[in-house]
Amino acid sequence: MTRFKQGCRTLRFPRGKPPVLPARYRGRPIVARKEDSVDLGKIAFIPDSGIRHSNDFRMGASRREDLMLKGDAEALAFTLNKRITKMFGRSLKLRQVSAGGCNACEADINVLNTPVFDLSRFGIQFVASPRHADGIVVTGPITRNMKEALLKTYEAIPDPKIVVAIGACAISGGIFSKSAEASKGLDALIPVDLYIPGCPPHPLTILDGFLRLIGRLKNG
Amino acid sequence: MELFNGGHVSLRDIPVLSEKEFRDEVLLGCQKGARLANLFGSPEGEGGVRLIAILGLDEESELRILSTKISAECPRYKSLAKELPQAQLFEREIAEQWAITPEGHPWLKPVRYHPNYRGVPDLWQDVAQRTIPGAYPFYAVGGEEVHEVGVGPVHAGIIEPGHFRFQCHGEEVIHLEIQLGYQHRGIEPMMCGRDLRQGVLLSESIAGDTSIGHSTSFCEVVESLAGCTVPLKAQAIRAIALELERLANHVGDLGALGMDAGFLPTSAYFGRMRGDYLNLLLELTGNRFGKGLCRPGGVLFDMDVSMADSFCRKLKCYKKEFEEVSDLLFTRPSVLARFEGIGGISPKDAKNLGLVGPVARASQVEHDVRIDHSSGVWQFYHVPISLAATGDVYARALVRRQEVMRSLEFLLKFLPSLPQGEIFVSPGPLKTETLAVSLVEGWRGEIMHVGITDSQGALCRYKIKDPSFQNWFALTLAMRNQEISDFPLCNKSFNLSYCGHDL
């Protein structure tokens, strides 16, 4: 009976119109002047930074320079990698490593496994062992104490492999970039194939990024 | 010297005792029923350190503060840990942060593996250069049939890193030792200085799942140091957000417990329902974890009558759904068989270890900051305490269920009568050479922040205590003589923070 009452709760996304998030949600910034730019990989998406935010959740990018949002950009650029879409487009197994994250990014990655987002319907799955994985998802500012474990996990994943950096901390060190205990971004250590900015990114931002990476979301 | 939650005291007024008097006072206070709520070092003079103890006198709603000085020439004192087990981790932390030896400490080893803040040789050689994985001493159990199981720092799921070392005899765990520190980002030193904006952002990221709890505590410390009164409406919005945070996490925890007991429907339902509360936080603050809401002086987002109404309507639905699904979980014999009698903590151990939050209340310890040290709107609204007696996985699940119901009842009563008015005042400059303390009942238990200012009114020492700091040891105790296969379930019933501990 309880099961019957619960009904089907899975989002239609990516089919149909994208879901609309509340007005206060701070998504992709609005850069008013043409000559200005905002680095999505560095900002903490706070209300009192002087940056105006739209409620557009689409922010993933495959190249670091695409996170530099310029005033004249219509939408965020996403450069497709044909090799990745061909190889992992229908099945992608990922190993997540938290390297100093505050657990907010981790929590919203976990949410993708709830019936609402149901990540496995896209052939994407988080696995326990790096030996079973096609790629690694990293959160947190890569603390000094976690660096070695992270690199060992990366090495344990068989080639070819992809790397995803989720959250401001993993992309640039975020608010911890001044700390001696933290690093200044994952791509200084290993090459990154997908950047998902946010503090933390909304689960839809993460899902949108994953789907773009594997070529399941081509337009818009 | 007595102090209340949210109070401040001039550094000169904090009594400085001799080492022996300090020790006797702390031990006597705790014998009489107080809790060692905090014990930390603060730099003083030329290379010296002042040890500050804060005792929680919960029945009197008071905090007692006392201190002693440790000179640079003789950086040592007699350890309290043997007589007062709850002091053990505080003493290890002081040893690591300030290179001060607690003589006679039963198990002295680093907590987070970082160089000390005094700039003198560390107590452990090359602690700062060594990467920690695998490089630490563990308590080992001897015997031919004893085997060791090491787990972590990278675990199987999407969770934070930490290392667990089990000493087992067959399936039975004889001893478990936990080594954390992998998440250490050096937050405490970064909080010092004049940049309160950076401070509040850091406080929101001490533990992302407790953003509201920690940022409220940070704001209360700054507001106390600035002597500013926060508008009632801002206090009300903070309280609403704090309860939404509690609801989201408790509901999620119950789902995770269902998962580890092998009852997947409840895990799927609760997992989705957790999102409902996070989405309310998103609607209120623009962030699913409430980041960006609390700032010293008030809050940045208002709640009007129509939003309060819509929250009320939604919460009524959520309450009904929660009742249905938790009935489903708590009435299944196969679930109860997994919950009952696993990972027990006796009330005596809970008191001795100074446990806090739902973990302590599941072992009949009557302590809840909202009641014992009430501040903000908790002074006007009484939330009944949720207690259980057995201290096992079942009790910890039951306390969460009760707390969910009571938070919902509070919100449904409180939202329609939301006070009106301003939501922000400018806090102004901080008092000089003053210490302020704030306690908040986060969803994991008592959060304590202590801020100390220098002669210029800048923060010169900031001490953070997440509830997990005290509660991790309880998990090791709960695993004694349990089957190792019960560890995931036991661990979920605590659901402690790694980053809150590691800072």
Side-chain angles (χ1 to χ4, degrees):
Chain A
M1 188 60 199
T2 321
R3 192 169 302 189
F4 183 70
K5 276 191 197 159
Q6 291 287 325
C8 177
R9 304 284 190 153
T10 308
L11 285 179
R12 278 179 60 80
F13 181 82
R15 280 178 296 153
K17 277 190 184 158
V20 178
L21 293 172
R24 285 179 183 175
Y25 164 69
R26 293 181 291 280
R28 195 159 63 89
I30 301 165
V31 186
R33 290 186 308 171
K34 215 173 171 181
E35 57 274 24
D36 290 349
S37 71
V38 171
D39 185 354
L40 292 186
K42 280 193 176 154
I43 58 172
F45 292 84
I46 47 171
D48 47 350
S49 63
I51 298 172
R52 275 174 63 218
H53 294 270
S54 70
N55 68 343
D56 184 358
F57 59 82
R58 295 167 299 178
M59 281 182 283
S62 58
R63 294 186 310 183
R64 182 69 178 88
E65 59 265 33
D66 289 343
L67 291 180
M68 293 299 295
L69 194 64
K70 302 232 168 52
D72 49 359
E74 287 272 302
L76 212 58
F78 196 97
T79 316
L80 271 180
N81 180 334
K82 286 239 171 69
R83 194 156 167 254
I84 291 177
T85 51
K86 186 159 178 272
M87 201 172 289
F88 301 121
R90 289 154 72 87
S91 166
L92 178 62
K93 310 282 169 192
L94 296 166
R95 166 69 245 199
Q96 196 272 340
V97 174
S98 167
C102 75
N103 205 26
C105 289
E106 290 83 342
D108 266 353
I109 296 171
N110 256 324
V111 161
L112 297 180
N113 290 323
T114 62
V116 180
F117 297 93
D118 192 16
L119 188 64
S120 50
R121 70 193 151 124
F122 304 106
I124 307 171
Q125 203 186 357
F126 285 96
V127 293
S129 168
R131 303 276 188 213
H132 301 159
D134 303 312
I136 190 170
V137 173
V138 181
T139 51
I142 309 134
T143 50
R144 196 171 44 78
N145 288 337
M146 202 46 209
K147 198 165 152 186
E148 187 184 330
L150 169 68
L151 293 176
K152 279 189 171 167
T153 310
Y154 174 72
E155 282 158 20
I157 298 173
D159 280 321
K161 52 194 163 193
I162 61 160
V163 177
V164 183
I166 294 187
C169 293
I171 297 173
S172 68
I175 55 168
F176 298 108
S177 57
K178 284 181 208 149
S179 169
E181 299 284 338
S183 309
K184 292 189 174 39
L186 180 64
D187 53 11
L189 296 171
I190 47 178
V192 176
D193 301 290
L194 175 63
Y195 298 88
I196 301 178
C199 185
H202 192 279
L204 278 170
T205 310
I206 306 174
L207 181 58
D208 175 79
F210 283 161
L211 294 181
R212 275 168 208 276
L213 179 76
I214 58 172
R216 296 281 290 266
L217 246 187
K218 288 196 180 79
N219 312 315
Chain B
M1 173 87 206
E2 267 70 45
L3 193 65
F4 297 105
N5 179 17
H8 57 82
V9 55
S10 164
L11 281 181
R12 261 164 292 153
D13 294 340
I14 301 172
V16 182
L17 310 176
S18 73
E19 191 207 312
K20 188 176 177 305
E21 285 169 347
F22 178 77
R23 182 188 162 78
D24 292 345
E25 279 280 313
V26 171
L27 289 177
L28 188 70
C30 289
Q31 248 170 36
K32 284 187 183 161
R35 224 159 26 86
L36 185 62
N38 217 333
L39 176 64
F40 62 96
S42 177
E44 179 126 331
E46 289 297 303
V49 171
R50 189 165 174 183
L51 288 191
I52 298 173
I54 300 179
L55 301 182
L57 287 78
D58 301 329
E59 278 173 28
E60 289 93 6
S61 299
E62 273 177 10
L63 300 166
R64 185 184 299 157
I65 185 162
L66 51 150
S67 73
T68 184
K69 280 183 181 164
I70 308 272
S71 69
E73 295 76 44
C74 180
R76 53 190 69 247
Y77 64 98
K78 199 172 160 206
S79 162
L80 294 155
K82 272 192 183 153
E83 288 99 325
L84 191 67
Q86 50 183 309
Q88 64 94 12
L89 193 55
F90 289 120
E91 291 188 338
R92 280 171 57 194
E93 186 185 45
I94 293 165
E96 186 169 51
Q97 291 186 335
W98 304 103
I100 294 173
T101 314
E103 286 175 327
H105 189 287
W107 194 232
L108 190 59
K109 66 174 204 172
V111 184
R112 305 176 180 117
Y113 288 78
H114 63 78
N116 72 74
Y117 302 156
R118 257 194 325 142
V120 295
D122 287 304
L123 291 191
W124 298 273
Q125 261 188 348
D126 69 2
V127 66
Q129 281 80 46
R130 221 161 35 182
T131 45
I132 50 173
Y136 19 61
F138 279 103
Y139 185 82
V141 178
E144 241 174 59
E145 293 184 348
V146 174
H147 65 103
E148 224 180 55
V149 179
V151 183
V154 178
H155 302 290
I158 305 176
I159 44 169
E160 299 174 76
H163 185 90
F164 298 82
R165 188 75 60 100
F166 299 89
Q167 310 288 324
C168 301
H169 183 254
E171 286 284 295
E172 188 188 342
V173 176
I174 302 170
H175 183 73
L176 161 65
E177 192 169 335
I178 303 172
Q179 177 63 53
L180 303 177
Y182 295 92
Q183 301 278 73
H184 180 60
R185 294 149 288 170
I187 294 184
E188 279 184 9
M190 281 180 91
M191 295 288 244
C192 297
R194 291 191 170 277
D195 193 352
L196 298 176
R197 208 180 126 78
Q198 170 171 291
V200 75
L201 291 188
L202 288 168
S203 74
E204 290 176 336
S205 293
I206 291 167
D209 49 25
T210 318
S211 290
I212 298 288
H214 276 291
S215 59
T216 301
S217 202
F218 174 81
C219 292
E220 285 181 359
V221 164
V222 173
E223 287 149 7
S224 175
L225 286 169
C228 97
T229 311
V230 181
L232 192 60
K233 179 87 186 271
Q235 295 182 10
I237 291 173
R238 282 180 188 175
I240 290 165
L242 186 71
E243 292 312 300
L244 288 175
E245 182 171 89
R246 189 183 325 279
L247 284 164
N249 284 295
H250 278 0
V251 169
D253 280 356
L254 288 172
L257 281 167
M259 164 90 87
D260 278 354
F263 192 44
L264 301 187
T266 49
S267 139
Y269 306 156
F270 278 135
R272 174 188 61 76
M273 285 154 64
R274 170 178 172 276
D276 292 336
Y277 300 106
L278 294 179
N279 287 338
L280 287 184
L281 271 177
L282 178 70
E283 216 172 298
L284 174 64
T285 72
N287 183 292
R288 279 163 53 92
F289 297 86
K291 291 186 180 190
L293 176 68
C294 301
R295 291 292 182 269
V299 292
L300 293 184
F301 293 101
D302 204 351
M303 181 184 258
D304 58 13
V305 178
S306 74
M307 189 189 263
D309 280 351
S310 112
F311 273 36
C312 250
R313 272 197 310 277
K314 287 178 185 165
L315 287 170
K316 271 182 201 149
C317 280
Y318 299 165
K319 186 167 171 235
K320 209 165 143 252
E321 285 184 348
F322 176 78
E323 281 167 348
E324 274 174 19
V325 180
S326 61
D327 279 347
L328 188 67
L329 181 71
F330 282 92
T331 54
R332 285 294 174 278
S334 57
V335 171
L336 295 179
R338 294 285 289 123
F339 282 7
E340 283 173 351
I342 306 285
I345 305 255
S346 70
K348 188 168 159 256
D349 284 343
K351 266 226 148 22
N352 278 343
L353 294 174
L355 302 186
V356 292
V359 169
R361 293 192 283 276
S363 296
Q364 237 176 356
V365 176
E366 287 187 50
H367 170 51
D368 184 322
V369 174
R370 290 173 295 173
I371 299 159
D372 298 337
H373 301 276
S374 54
S375 65
V377 298
W378 307 115
Q379 289 164 307
F380 315 113
Y381 278 85
H382 185 76
V383 180
I385 194 163
S386 308
L387 290 176
T390 45
D392 52 4
V393 172
Y394 176 74
R396 288 187 283 275
L398 194 65
V399 166
R400 284 188 172 88
R401 179 193 183 170
Q402 279 177 344
E403 292 190 1
V404 167
M405 290 307 292
R406 282 168 179 170
S407 290
L408 283 167
E409 280 155 17
F410 162 76
L411 287 174
L412 289 173
K413 207 165 74 184
F414 186 62
L415 280 166
S417 58
L418 202 59
Q420 291 306 318
E422 291 293 307
I423 57 165
F424 187 83
V425 288
S426 186
L430 308 188
K431 292 186 173 68
T432 56
E433 297 185 335
T434 303
L435 175 149
V437 55
S438 157
L439 303 177
V440 170
E441 183 71 24
W443 63 277
R444 283 196 184 92
E446 179 190 83
I447 295 165
M448 183 191 256
H449 284 215
V450 183
I452 300 177
T453 51
D454 60 13
S455 56
Q456 308 298 313
L459 284 169
C460 62
R461 173 76 173 119
Y462 201 83
K463 183 82 207 83
I464 300 156
K465 195 202 67 182
D466 186 86
S468 306
F469 187 77
Q470 280 148 313
N471 284 358
W472 271 110
F473 196 76
L475 175 58
T476 73
L477 204 68
M479 277 312 291
R480 292 235 170 120
N481 308 108
Q482 302 288 314
E483 288 191 16
I484 191 165
S485 50
D486 283 333
F487 176 71
L489 186 66
C490 238
N491 188 22
K492 287 281 164 53
S493 75
F494 286 89
N495 192 12
L496 300 172
S497 173
Y498 298 72
C499 51
H501 171 281
D502 291 348
L503 297 176

